Amino acid sequence: MVSGMTQSHPRISKAVIPAAGLGTRFLPATKATPKEMLPVVDKPAIQYVVEEAASAGLDDVLMITGRNKRPLEDHFDRNYELESALQKKGDAGRLAKVQESSDLATMHYVRQGDPKGLGHAVLCAAPHVGHEPFAVLLGDDLIDPRDPLLKRMVDVHEQYGGSVIALMEVEPEQIHLYGCAAVEVTEDADVVKVTGLVEKPDPADAPSNYAIIGRYVLDPHVFDILRTTEPGRGGEIQLTDALQQLADDEKIGGPVHGVVFKGRRYDTGDRGDYLRAIVRLACEREDLGPDFRTWLRSYVTEEM
Ligand code: G1P
């Protein structure tokens, strides 16, 4: 028996990862390489995101891609030529690294065509997802694997139903970079009820300093809403606007709750944060960390 059948809300098995963005902030690196393939230490950023989905029990991953994104499909596929070369050399360590990314989850791909915004990207997942609740993971947000967020969101969804978003408190002057949620407390210390949402508000109009970060567990009714959601901020179809409608009318798709995340998150879509992510993760690696930390310490004290 599937354990989820004893729960009051269906178990989530599908993850959707929008990955159609042009990555203009990283030009020229992203001229011919998808931004999702930029390495964070020695793994492409997108692999951390797929690993996060898999470790939360989501083994069916749909990527929403676009032109020039073929390397993503290759990365999560087998590479027999490379595997047999490594096998012949007897290099079991590197062989395992090559095979790791193709063994993580069952991968599916759909192209977005017109880049009409995050809401539109999520709507492209409707035929694959069907009528089940599902997760959305944005590739620019890297959540440190030691601070599992998605697993907690899946648990909160099983408890409360509806949709669950990830929230993080930010400085008021940063809120214009994010979707922002008006919230009420619940009995769970890290869970809030979302009463309103606004995409990238001016600080003066922001209902709180709770920023939406790129993890969502969504009720499938969101697709019906997205089909009629008008372009919003930036002329794009915004997922935040569709969630606002879910929060507004609990009869369609249930309530919206937020999990307040206090762990480590890096925005790999921002060059400064991307560098910080690499330095932090490299420092903490068992293989690279000791040497790298020694070098970093002397670099900072002697050269800065
Ligand atoms: C998107 C969402 C926004 C959210 C952000 C998190 O914006 O529209 O609500 O706060 O991701 O990273 P983007 O950064 O893609 O413009």
Side-chain angles (χ1 to χ4, degrees):
M1 263 293 147
V2 181
S3 64
M5 290 183 75
T6 57
Q7 311 274 345
S8 50
H9 299 285
R11 188 186 156 267
I12 295 165
S13 63
K14 289 180 182 164
V16 173
I17 304 182
L22 297 174
T24 48
R25 283 191 275 179
F26 281 85
L27 282 169
T30 48
K31 185 180 171 190
T33 303
K35 66 170 174 173
E36 294 81 7
M37 290 302 293
L38 296 181
V40 175
V41 189
D42 51 7
K43 256 194 289 192
I46 193 73
Q47 189 173 331
Y48 290 88
V49 180
V50 175
E51 284 174 357
E52 184 190 340
S55 64
L58 281 58
D59 51 15
D60 178 308
V61 173
L62 173 71
M63 277 200 196
I64 316 293
T65 66
R67 280 177 291 281
N68 302 329
K69 300 287 182 168
R70 288 288 291 277
L72 292 175
E73 296 187 31
D74 292 340
H75 184 71
F76 293 101
D77 196 1
R78 303 290 299 269
N79 182 334
Y80 291 108
E81 205 181 353
L82 186 55
E83 287 177 38
S84 85
L86 291 167
Q87 227 146 21
K88 274 192 202 121
K89 276 202 208 163
D91 193 340
R94 291 201 171 94
L95 179 63
K97 282 189 182 167
V98 167
Q99 290 172 336
E100 215 181 347
S101 55
S102 50
D103 290 343
L104 282 172
T106 308
M107 304 296 297
H108 306 270
Y109 302 88
V110 63
R111 285 194 181 203
Q112 189 179 359
D114 284 344
K116 291 193 217 154
L118 178 59
H120 177 251
V122 170
L123 185 55
C124 293
H128 179 80
V129 168
H131 297 289
E132 306 166 26
F134 63 104
V136 173
L137 294 86
L138 304 189
D140 281 350
D141 282 295
L142 201 158
I143 304 294
D144 195 299
R146 291 161 299 174
D147 300 322
L149 167 62
L150 191 59
K151 178 76 184 62
R152 175 68 185 137
M153 294 172 72
V154 168
D155 291 346
V156 168
H157 171 264
E158 281 183 5
Q159 192 184 340
Y160 289 86
S163 298
V164 182
I165 62 177
L167 297 172
M168 205 169 91
E169 289 191 75
V170 299
E171 295 300 324
E173 58 273 19
Q174 296 288 309
I175 199 72
H176 71 282
L177 300 170
Y178 300 93
C180 175
V183 302
E184 284 169 4
V185 293
T186 69
E187 283 169 9
D188 290 299
D190 64 336
V191 180
V192 288
K193 172 135 192 241
V194 175
T195 56
L197 286 153
V198 46
E199 178 68 7
K200 303 198 175 95
D202 291 334
D205 305 329
S208 75
N209 64 335
Y210 283 106
I212 305 175
I213 53 174
R215 300 292 179 271
Y216 307 79
V217 171
L218 298 176
D219 181 275
H221 281 98
V222 76
F223 294 131
D224 298 333
I225 296 174
L226 282 168
R227 281 188 193 99
T228 58
T229 300
E230 296 288 331
R233 189 104 191 161
E236 298 190 335
I237 298 171
Q238 297 291 352
L239 181 59
T240 305
D241 295 344
L243 282 163
Q244 162 64 46
Q245 282 199 49
L246 279 179
D248 245 4
D249 186 353
E250 292 196 8
K251 285 193 275 316
I252 33 162
V256 180
H257 285 89
V259 168
V260 180
F261 182 63
K262 293 195 179 345
R264 288 156 282 196
R265 168 217 175 230
Y266 315 99
D267 176 3
T268 55
D270 172 84
R271 286 176 302 172
D273 256 0
Y274 170 75
L275 292 175
R276 282 185 273 277
I278 293 175
V279 171
R280 278 180 77 158
L281 293 171
C283 282
E284 287 151 12
R285 281 266 296 255
E286 272 176 29
D287 51 348
L288 300 165
D291 277 358
F292 186 65
R293 280 197 302 268
T294 310
W295 170 82
L296 188 61
R297 233 175 258 124
S298 72
Y299 178 72
V300 170
T301 47
E302 287 158 28
E303 307 208 21
M304 296 187 77

Tab-separated table of all heavy atoms in Angstrom, residues 191-235:
chain	number	residue	atom	x	y	z
A	191	VAL	N	4.614	28.050	10.258
A	191	VAL	CA	3.584	28.073	9.212
A	191	VAL	C	2.694	29.305	9.411
A	191	VAL	O	2.260	29.599	10.523
A	191	VAL	CB	2.701	26.798	9.260
A	191	VAL	CG1	1.638	26.834	8.160
A	191	VAL	CG2	3.561	25.544	9.120
A	192	VAL	N	2.443	30.033	8.297
A	192	VAL	CA	1.518	31.167	8.349
A	192	VAL	C	0.420	30.954	7.320
A	192	VAL	O	0.607	30.223	6.342
A	192	VAL	CB	2.242	32.514	8.053
A	192	VAL	CG1	3.140	32.929	9.198
A	192	VAL	CG2	3.014	32.452	6.731
A	193	LYS	N	-0.723	31.571	7.569
A	193	LYS	CA	-1.797	31.548	6.567
A	193	LYS	C	-1.617	32.781	5.688
A	193	LYS	O	-1.435	33.893	6.193
A	193	LYS	CB	-3.145	31.571	7.281
A	193	LYS	CG	-4.290	31.740	6.352
A	193	LYS	CD	-5.419	30.794	6.673
A	193	LYS	CE	-6.397	30.809	5.520
A	193	LYS	NZ	-7.715	31.263	5.894
A	194	VAL	N	-1.657	32.577	4.377
A	194	VAL	CA	-1.463	33.691	3.445
A	194	VAL	C	-2.813	34.304	3.120
A	194	VAL	O	-3.720	33.620	2.638
A	194	VAL	CB	-0.741	33.202	2.165
A	194	VAL	CG1	-0.646	34.332	1.142
A	194	VAL	CG2	0.645	32.672	2.515
A	195	THR	N	-2.942	35.612	3.388
A	195	THR	CA	-4.232	36.274	3.143
A	195	THR	C	-4.179	37.174	1.910
A	195	THR	O	-5.216	37.594	1.405
A	195	THR	CB	-4.645	37.114	4.368
A	195	THR	OG1	-3.587	38.034	4.659
A	195	THR	CG2	-4.887	36.226	5.580
A	196	GLY	N	-2.999	37.487	1.427
A	196	GLY	CA	-2.895	38.333	0.236
A	196	GLY	C	-1.497	38.232	-0.347
A	196	GLY	O	-0.552	37.867	0.355
A	197	LEU	N	-1.384	38.510	-1.643
A	197	LEU	CA	-0.076	38.415	-2.300
A	197	LEU	C	0.071	39.526	-3.317
A	197	LEU	O	-0.894	39.871	-4.001
A	197	LEU	CB	0.036	37.069	-3.041
A	197	LEU	CG	0.229	35.846	-2.163
A	197	LEU	CD1	-0.316	34.615	-2.842
A	197	LEU	CD2	1.697	35.660	-1.838
A	198	VAL	N	1.273	40.050	-3.423
A	198	VAL	CA	1.520	41.062	-4.444
A	198	VAL	C	2.924	40.855	-5.014
A	198	VAL	O	3.862	40.568	-4.286
A	198	VAL	CB	1.275	42.499	-3.886
A	198	VAL	CG1	1.908	42.699	-2.550
A	198	VAL	CG2	1.720	43.567	-4.867
A	199	GLU	N	3.016	40.941	-6.341
A	199	GLU	CA	4.300	40.686	-7.004
A	199	GLU	C	5.164	41.943	-7.011
A	199	GLU	O	4.743	42.993	-7.485
A	199	GLU	CB	4.048	40.193	-8.442
A	199	GLU	CG	5.295	39.921	-9.271
A	199	GLU	CD	6.128	38.723	-8.795
A	199	GLU	OE1	5.690	37.990	-7.877
A	199	GLU	OE2	7.224	38.529	-9.343
A	200	LYS	N	6.351	41.819	-6.459
A	200	LYS	CA	7.377	42.878	-6.469
A	200	LYS	C	6.805	44.266	-6.152
A	200	LYS	O	6.843	45.178	-6.992
A	200	LYS	CB	8.106	42.878	-7.813
A	200	LYS	CG	8.738	41.521	-8.129
A	200	LYS	CD	9.790	41.574	-9.189
A	200	LYS	CE	10.462	40.234	-9.362
A	200	LYS	NZ	9.943	39.384	-10.397
A	201	PRO	N	6.277	44.441	-4.928
A	201	PRO	CA	5.690	45.741	-4.584
A	201	PRO	C	6.758	46.790	-4.288
A	201	PRO	O	7.887	46.457	-3.935
A	201	PRO	CB	4.908	45.423	-3.297
A	201	PRO	CG	5.690	44.308	-2.667
A	201	PRO	CD	6.257	43.488	-3.805
A	202	ASP	N	6.380	48.059	-4.408
A	202	ASP	CA	7.244	49.123	-3.896
A	202	ASP	C	7.256	48.959	-2.380
A	202	ASP	O	6.209	48.621	-1.789
A	202	ASP	CB	6.651	50.490	-4.248
A	202	ASP	CG	6.739	50.741	-5.747
A	202	ASP	OD1	7.646	50.161	-6.378
A	202	ASP	OD2	5.887	51.485	-6.267
A	203	PRO	N	8.392	49.208	-1.718
A	203	PRO	CA	8.460	49.006	-0.267
A	203	PRO	C	7.310	49.690	0.473
A	203	PRO	O	6.759	49.135	1.436
A	203	PRO	CB	9.813	49.597	0.114
A	203	PRO	CG	10.641	49.448	-1.124
A	203	PRO	CD	9.703	49.587	-2.288
A	204	ALA	N	6.888	50.872	0.009
A	204	ALA	CA	5.824	51.603	0.705
A	204	ALA	C	4.486	50.854	0.650
A	204	ALA	O	3.651	51.004	1.539
A	204	ALA	CB	5.670	52.985	0.083
A	205	ASP	N	4.269	50.052	-0.383
A	205	ASP	CA	2.990	49.337	-0.540
A	205	ASP	C	3.052	47.889	-0.064
A	205	ASP	O	2.046	47.166	-0.144
A	205	ASP	CB	2.572	49.306	-2.029
A	205	ASP	CG	2.520	50.694	-2.628
A	205	ASP	OD1	2.226	51.628	-1.869
A	205	ASP	OD2	2.790	50.825	-3.839
A	206	ALA	N	4.238	47.428	0.378
A	206	ALA	CA	4.386	46.008	0.726
A	206	ALA	C	3.594	45.690	1.997
A	206	ALA	O	3.709	46.404	2.993
A	206	ALA	CB	5.860	45.677	0.926
A	207	PRO	N	2.783	44.623	1.971
A	207	PRO	CA	1.992	44.297	3.147
A	207	PRO	C	2.817	43.676	4.287
A	207	PRO	O	2.322	43.548	5.412
A	207	PRO	CB	0.968	43.281	2.618
A	207	PRO	CG	1.594	42.690	1.396
A	207	PRO	CD	2.491	43.753	0.819
A	208	SER	N	4.048	43.270	4.003
A	208	SER	CA	4.905	42.667	5.037
A	208	SER	C	6.328	42.629	4.490
A	208	SER	O	6.594	43.110	3.386
A	208	SER	CB	4.446	41.230	5.342
A	208	SER	OG	4.848	40.366	4.283
A	209	ASN	N	7.244	42.015	5.264
A	209	ASN	CA	8.576	41.780	4.698
A	209	ASN	C	8.790	40.285	4.438
A	209	ASN	O	9.907	39.805	4.407
A	209	ASN	CB	9.678	42.367	5.591
A	209	ASN	CG	9.726	41.703	6.942
A	209	ASN	OD1	8.718	41.156	7.398
A	209	ASN	ND2	10.871	41.728	7.592
A	210	TYR	N	7.667	39.550	4.250
A	210	TYR	CA	7.768	38.133	3.887
A	210	TYR	C	7.888	38.006	2.368
A	210	TYR	O	6.929	38.300	1.632
A	210	TYR	CB	6.539	37.357	4.362
A	210	TYR	CG	6.568	37.060	5.840
A	210	TYR	CD1	5.749	37.746	6.731
A	210	TYR	CD2	7.432	36.089	6.345
A	210	TYR	CE1	5.783	37.481	8.087
A	210	TYR	CE2	7.476	35.818	7.702
A	210	TYR	CZ	6.654	36.509	8.563
A	210	TYR	OH	6.710	36.238	9.897
A	211	ALA	N	9.053	37.571	1.898
A	211	ALA	CA	9.299	37.410	0.464
A	211	ALA	C	9.048	35.962	0.052
A	211	ALA	O	9.380	35.034	0.790
A	211	ALA	CB	10.748	37.772	0.156
A	212	ILE	N	8.468	35.806	-1.133
A	212	ILE	CA	8.284	34.449	-1.678
A	212	ILE	C	9.631	33.990	-2.219
A	212	ILE	O	10.266	34.694	-3.004
A	212	ILE	CB	7.275	34.446	-2.844
A	212	ILE	CG1	5.936	35.063	-2.433
A	212	ILE	CG2	7.091	33.040	-3.395
A	212	ILE	CD1	4.937	35.184	-3.588
A	213	ILE	N	10.082	32.830	-1.789
A	213	ILE	CA	11.281	32.261	-2.416
A	213	ILE	C	10.837	31.071	-3.277
A	213	ILE	O	9.712	30.603	-3.156
A	213	ILE	CB	12.385	31.913	-1.400
A	213	ILE	CG1	11.863	31.021	-0.284
A	213	ILE	CG2	12.976	33.185	-0.823
A	213	ILE	CD1	12.955	30.542	0.645
A	214	GLY	N	11.713	30.643	-4.164
A	214	GLY	CA	11.281	29.803	-5.277
A	214	GLY	C	10.919	28.350	-5.020
A	214	GLY	O	11.373	27.452	-5.721
A	215	ARG	N	10.065	28.094	-4.032
A	215	ARG	CA	9.541	26.744	-3.827
A	215	ARG	C	8.040	26.848	-3.584
A	215	ARG	O	7.605	27.648	-2.743
A	215	ARG	CB	10.187	26.069	-2.599
A	215	ARG	CG	11.686	25.914	-2.690
A	215	ARG	CD	12.081	24.898	-3.766
A	215	ARG	NE	13.520	24.750	-3.891
A	215	ARG	CZ	14.300	25.480	-4.694
A	215	ARG	NH1	13.781	26.438	-5.446
A	215	ARG	NH2	15.602	25.272	-4.746
A	216	TYR	N	7.266	26.031	-4.295
A	216	TYR	CA	5.816	26.083	-4.180
A	216	TYR	C	5.273	24.653	-4.186
A	216	TYR	O	5.785	23.795	-4.915
A	216	TYR	CB	5.200	26.773	-5.399
A	216	TYR	CG	5.746	28.147	-5.738
A	216	TYR	CD1	6.963	28.297	-6.411
A	216	TYR	CD2	5.034	29.295	-5.427
A	216	TYR	CE1	7.445	29.556	-6.752
A	216	TYR	CE2	5.507	30.563	-5.768
A	216	TYR	CZ	6.723	30.680	-6.434
A	216	TYR	OH	7.204	31.928	-6.782
A	217	VAL	N	4.229	24.400	-3.414
A	217	VAL	CA	3.428	23.183	-3.564
A	217	VAL	C	2.045	23.687	-3.956
A	217	VAL	O	1.438	24.472	-3.215
A	217	VAL	CB	3.375	22.357	-2.258
A	217	VAL	CG1	2.361	21.218	-2.390
A	217	VAL	CG2	4.758	21.797	-1.928
A	218	LEU	N	1.578	23.288	-5.136
A	218	LEU	CA	0.385	23.929	-5.690
A	218	LEU	C	-0.768	22.963	-5.890
A	218	LEU	O	-0.574	21.814	-6.339
A	218	LEU	CB	0.732	24.586	-7.031
A	218	LEU	CG	1.785	25.695	-6.958
A	218	LEU	CD1	2.111	26.205	-8.363
A	218	LEU	CD2	1.324	26.839	-6.076
A	219	ASP	N	-1.957	23.468	-5.592
A	219	ASP	CA	-3.168	22.735	-5.903
A	219	ASP	C	-3.401	22.849	-7.421
A	219	ASP	O	-3.192	23.924	-7.992
A	219	ASP	CB	-4.339	23.379	-5.139
A	219	ASP	CG	-5.626	22.643	-5.399
A	219	ASP	OD1	-6.292	22.941	-6.431
A	219	ASP	OD2	-5.970	21.769	-4.588
A	220	PRO	N	-3.840	21.776	-8.086
A	220	PRO	CA	-3.978	21.841	-9.553
A	220	PRO	C	-5.009	22.856	-10.049
A	220	PRO	O	-4.985	23.209	-11.224
A	220	PRO	CB	-4.370	20.402	-9.941
A	220	PRO	CG	-4.873	19.774	-8.695
A	220	PRO	CD	-4.157	20.434	-7.564
A	221	HIS	N	-5.874	23.356	-9.156
A	221	HIS	CA	-6.799	24.413	-9.586
A	221	HIS	C	-6.063	25.653	-10.080
A	221	HIS	O	-6.638	26.495	-10.773
A	221	HIS	CB	-7.736	24.807	-8.440
A	221	HIS	CG	-8.847	23.833	-8.255
A	221	HIS	ND1	-8.794	22.843	-7.304
A	221	HIS	CD2	-10.014	23.685	-8.912
A	221	HIS	CE1	-9.900	22.119	-7.393
A	221	HIS	NE2	-10.650	22.601	-8.356
A	222	VAL	N	-4.800	25.747	-9.701
A	222	VAL	CA	-4.027	26.911	-10.148
A	222	VAL	C	-3.990	26.979	-11.680
A	222	VAL	O	-3.933	28.064	-12.255
A	222	VAL	CB	-2.595	26.885	-9.532
A	222	VAL	CG1	-1.694	25.864	-10.220
A	222	VAL	CG2	-1.962	28.267	-9.563
A	223	PHE	N	-4.074	25.833	-12.349
A	223	PHE	CA	-4.054	25.843	-13.823
A	223	PHE	C	-5.287	26.558	-14.381
A	223	PHE	O	-5.190	27.326	-15.330
A	223	PHE	CB	-3.988	24.419	-14.386
A	223	PHE	CG	-2.711	23.683	-14.072
A	223	PHE	CD1	-2.732	22.387	-13.559
A	223	PHE	CD2	-1.474	24.275	-14.304
A	223	PHE	CE1	-1.560	21.707	-13.279
A	223	PHE	CE2	-0.286	23.596	-14.021
A	223	PHE	CZ	-0.339	22.310	-13.506
A	224	ASP	N	-6.459	26.272	-13.792
A	224	ASP	CA	-7.685	26.937	-14.266
A	224	ASP	C	-7.548	28.448	-14.122
A	224	ASP	O	-7.976	29.207	-14.989
A	224	ASP	CB	-8.912	26.470	-13.453
A	224	ASP	CG	-9.141	24.980	-13.613
A	224	ASP	OD1	-8.737	24.447	-14.666
A	224	ASP	OD2	-9.689	24.352	-12.675
A	225	ILE	N	-6.956	28.854	-13.004
A	225	ILE	CA	-6.795	30.290	-12.773
A	225	ILE	C	-5.792	30.892	-13.765
A	225	ILE	O	-6.029	31.938	-14.357
A	225	ILE	CB	-6.369	30.544	-11.311
A	225	ILE	CG1	-7.495	30.092	-10.374
A	225	ILE	CG2	-6.025	32.008	-11.078
A	225	ILE	CD1	-7.155	30.149	-8.912
A	226	LEU	N	-4.675	30.168	-13.960
A	226	LEU	CA	-3.636	30.696	-14.851
A	226	LEU	C	-4.138	30.869	-16.288
A	226	LEU	O	-3.682	31.756	-17.011
A	226	LEU	CB	-2.406	29.774	-14.839
A	226	LEU	CG	-1.500	29.918	-13.615
A	226	LEU	CD1	-0.487	28.781	-13.558
A	226	LEU	CD2	-0.768	31.280	-13.635
A	227	ARG	N	-5.091	30.016	-16.686
A	227	ARG	CA	-5.614	30.130	-18.058
A	227	ARG	C	-6.260	31.476	-18.330
A	227	ARG	O	-6.321	31.928	-19.455
A	227	ARG	CB	-6.629	29.006	-18.340
A	227	ARG	CG	-5.946	27.703	-18.654
A	227	ARG	CD	-6.882	26.602	-19.126
A	227	ARG	NE	-6.122	25.366	-19.083
A	227	ARG	CZ	-6.180	24.463	-18.107
A	227	ARG	NH1	-7.040	24.616	-17.118
A	227	ARG	NH2	-5.406	23.396	-18.136
A	228	THR	N	-6.736	32.117	-17.262
A	228	THR	CA	-7.410	33.411	-17.463
A	228	THR	C	-6.688	34.560	-16.754
A	228	THR	O	-7.223	35.657	-16.675
A	228	THR	CB	-8.871	33.346	-16.949
A	228	THR	OG1	-8.839	32.989	-15.572
A	228	THR	CG2	-9.689	32.320	-17.716
A	229	THR	N	-5.503	34.285	-16.216
A	229	THR	CA	-4.773	35.361	-15.530
A	229	THR	C	-4.202	36.338	-16.568
A	229	THR	O	-3.506	35.931	-17.490
A	229	THR	CB	-3.624	34.779	-14.654
A	229	THR	OG1	-4.200	33.893	-13.686
A	229	THR	CG2	-2.852	35.870	-13.929
A	230	GLU	N	-4.522	37.600	-16.389
A	230	GLU	CA	-4.035	38.637	-17.312
A	230	GLU	C	-2.567	38.939	-17.002
A	230	GLU	O	-2.149	38.792	-15.848
A	230	GLU	CB	-4.843	39.930	-17.111
A	230	GLU	CG	-6.320	39.815	-17.443
A	230	GLU	CD	-6.555	39.705	-18.946
A	230	GLU	OE1	-5.732	40.253	-19.713
A	230	GLU	OE2	-7.554	39.076	-19.337
A	231	PRO	N	-1.802	39.393	-17.979
A	231	PRO	CA	-0.431	39.815	-17.678
A	231	PRO	C	-0.427	40.860	-16.561
A	231	PRO	O	-1.301	41.726	-16.511
A	231	PRO	CB	0.052	40.425	-19.001
A	231	PRO	CG	-0.800	39.786	-20.049
A	231	PRO	CD	-2.139	39.541	-19.403
A	232	GLY	N	0.527	40.735	-15.655
A	232	GLY	CA	0.614	41.651	-14.513
A	232	GLY	C	1.925	42.408	-14.545
A	232	GLY	O	2.349	42.899	-15.594
A	233	ARG	N	2.598	42.429	-13.401
A	233	ARG	CA	3.879	43.145	-13.270
A	233	ARG	C	4.827	42.787	-14.438
A	233	ARG	O	4.985	41.607	-14.769
A	233	ARG	CB	4.521	42.726	-11.948
A	233	ARG	CG	5.722	43.527	-11.590
A	233	ARG	CD	5.353	44.506	-10.498
A	233	ARG	NE	6.417	45.466	-10.301
A	233	ARG	CZ	6.241	46.628	-9.702
A	233	ARG	NH1	5.060	46.988	-9.261
A	233	ARG	NH2	7.250	47.444	-9.538
A	234	GLY	N	5.407	43.776	-15.065
A	234	GLY	CA	6.365	43.547	-16.148
A	234	GLY	C	5.714	43.008	-17.419
A	234	GLY	O	6.404	42.501	-18.299
A	235	GLY	N	4.367	43.066	-17.489
A	235	GLY	CA	3.670	42.561	-18.677
A	235	GLY	C	3.684	41.035	-18.768
A	235	GLY	O	3.401	40.464	-19.826
